[in-house]
Amino acid sequence: MPDGAHRRLSPAQAVVLILLAALVMTLAATRPALLTETFHWLFMTGFMLSAVVKLAAACTPRLAVVPPSPDDADLPVYTVICPLFREAAVAAELVENLSRLDYPRDRLQVLIALEAKDHETQAAFQALPLPTFVQVLIVPPGSPQTKPRACNHALERARGQLVVIYDAEDAPHPGQLREAAARFAAEGPELACLQAPLRIEADRRFIGEQFALEYAVQFEVLQPALARWGLPFPLGGTSNHFRAEALRAIAGWDAYNVTEDADIGFRLATRDYRLGVIASPTFETPPRLGPWFPQRARWVKGHIQTLAVHLRGPAARSPRGLTSLVLTLVLSVASSHLHGPLFFWLLAKVVGALLGVQGLIDGGDFVVLSFGWSCAAIAGARGLERAGAKPRLLPLFGAMLYWPLQSLAAANAAVQFVVAPFHWDKTPHQPRTPSKTSSPASPQTGRGLP
């Protein structure tokens, strides 16, 4: 690609950052009160904007029209791409989940893309009697070793008019491919991508419950609203359905972007393609705190990469693209870095008031923070209801303790953006059930390793 995440910053971006850093240091040395007040109002403005967006999205009804599914004879060939690395533990479960897809087998192609050095996962698939529609590909050694590079390798071998990405732990709704195919058939070629909602399976642990709440807001509230408003949005890392011709028109995924899903939605929009959403979900397993931290750091780093690329590209030169970049990635990256400092500022205010050395939060700040947290809770409740879950007050307002954790990951992301921009923090997965030794649902033997 002529421009992409392989260029961290353009010369103009580097100059702007240097000038901003010099301005901040100068104000810190000469006018610290002015600097503090400026940061305060910038934060409160961004916090209010984020709250208004969540409230507006929660009040925006989802598109309810579902076109009828085409007859089997009219369905296009569908290619499912599953890029895996060190996923031997879930190989059998993945094949079983994919075997539940309700789609004609003669029109279904599943490509399992494995890294050349991942011998353990290769052996796991060799031991399985694969269905006839499943083929295992070996991605040649190369750099960077990333998920989007593996997806590009598989795209070269995809024979489907439609393409979808699934991750190792995904359990897609059996009717998801049919719903996406019906939407693509009913709408024009400018519709390039449909995002299915990702739902985290029930888990009462703090991180799992907050992660499910976060996904509910993102996939059940924000993305459907952005689609209704005609704005591009960062896609999820899985369950995004594409027209293959649109993917090839933009040269596939950016192999250097560690959140290729966030990037590709905006690149499609710059070519006048449109994004949409569907209703059939994909279920994922809840994370634990250990794997959550590096995963979140990778997401924030990828969002920084995506912002750097598109703020200097055509997306930022259109009102539609710039608006979406601000409402999604700018607010997301800023909040990830600032929620931690906000938490400690509030804690210092409370402790200072208890010790009698300062007053509590002033009225204006209290109103803004209360409004923002209430809007986030409303969006969370709406998202959980749409996902078929029952909202609970404790997790909804417990998010105030979850958000500061993101600042730790964001700090790591900022460092990695400088010293290891293309490093991919792997998220390990475990099967939902004990390892299977019997064959998956479809008994036919498919093609093995090439």
Side-chain angles (χ1 to χ4, degrees), residues 188-207:
E190 71 279 359
L191 178 64
C193 178
L194 291 167
Q195 174 70 61
L198 305 183
R199 295 179 186 169
I200 302 300
E201 294 165 353
D203 181 26
R204 286 298 181 94
R205 293 172 297 178
F206 177 74
I207 288 294

Side-chain angles (χ1 to χ4, degrees), residues 97-147:
N97 289 334
L98 296 177
S99 297
R100 295 193 182 101
L101 290 171
D102 177 20
Y103 208 79
R105 295 306 188 239
D106 62 332
R107 296 166 189 263
L108 181 62
Q109 177 194 30
V110 174
L111 300 178
I112 309 291
L114 305 180
E115 298 294 335
K117 67 178 184 180
D118 187 6
H119 303 297
E120 184 179 359
T121 309
Q122 293 176 29
F125 277 96
Q126 283 178 324
L128 293 172
L130 297 176
T132 54
F133 56 85
V134 175
Q135 179 184 1
V136 178
L137 302 176
I138 304 300
V139 181
S143 179
Q145 184 183 298
T146 58
K147 173 184 173 181

Side-chain angles (χ1 to χ4, degrees), residues 44 345-346 360-373:
M44 289 302 173
W345 175 73
L346 290 173
L360 274 172
I361 307 166
D362 66 48
D365 289 347
F366 180 80
V367 170
V368 170
L369 293 174
S370 299
F371 177 75
W373 288 328

Side-chain angles (χ1 to χ4, degrees), residues 48 77 113 156 205 242 249 315:
M48 178 66 79
V77 175
E156 294 175 359
R205 293 172 297 178
F242 300 94

Side-chain angles (χ1 to χ4, degrees), residues 189-320:
E190 71 279 359
L191 178 64
C193 178
L194 291 167
Q195 174 70 61
L198 305 183
R199 295 179 186 169
I200 302 300
E201 294 165 353
D203 181 26
R204 286 298 181 94
R205 293 172 297 178
F206 177 74
I207 288 294
E209 200 160 34
Q210 290 299 321
F211 202 66
L213 177 60
E214 189 176 15
Y215 264 38
V217 172
Q218 180 70 17
F219 293 102
E220 312 285 354
V221 175
L222 289 177
Q223 285 190 353
L226 290 166
R228 291 296 302 270
W229 300 342
L231 295 176
F233 50 84
L235 300 173
T238 172
S239 304
N240 23 60
H241 301 251
F242 300 94
R243 292 189 195 271
E245 62 181 1
L247 268 181
R248 294 188 173 105
I250 62 168
W253 294 267
D254 183 351
Y256 288 86
N257 194 310
V258 297
T259 53
E260 77 297 332
D261 47 323
D263 168 76
I264 201 167
F266 289 101
R267 287 202 292 117
L268 286 168
T270 61
R271 298 288 292 268
D272 296 325
Y273 286 113
R274 186 165 52 86
L275 310 179
V277 297
I278 56 176
S280 301
T282 293
F283 292 93
E284 295 191 343
T285 53
R288 292 172 287 110
L289 180 59
W292 175 89
F293 182 82
Q295 182 189 58
R296 182 51 54 103
R298 174 170 59 81
W299 288 359
V300 177
K301 178 174 67 174
H303 288 175
I304 296 172
Q305 289 178 319
T306 303
L307 266 177
V309 170
H310 291 290
L311 286 177
R312 64 178 180 247
R317 294 194 287 270
S318 73
R320 177 169 159 259

Side-chain angles (χ1 to χ4, degrees), residues 419-433:
V419 302
F422 317 127
H423 171 69
W424 190 284
D425 282 311
K426 176 72 180 70
T427 304
H429 301 112
Q430 295 298 322
R432 295 168 175 83
T433 56

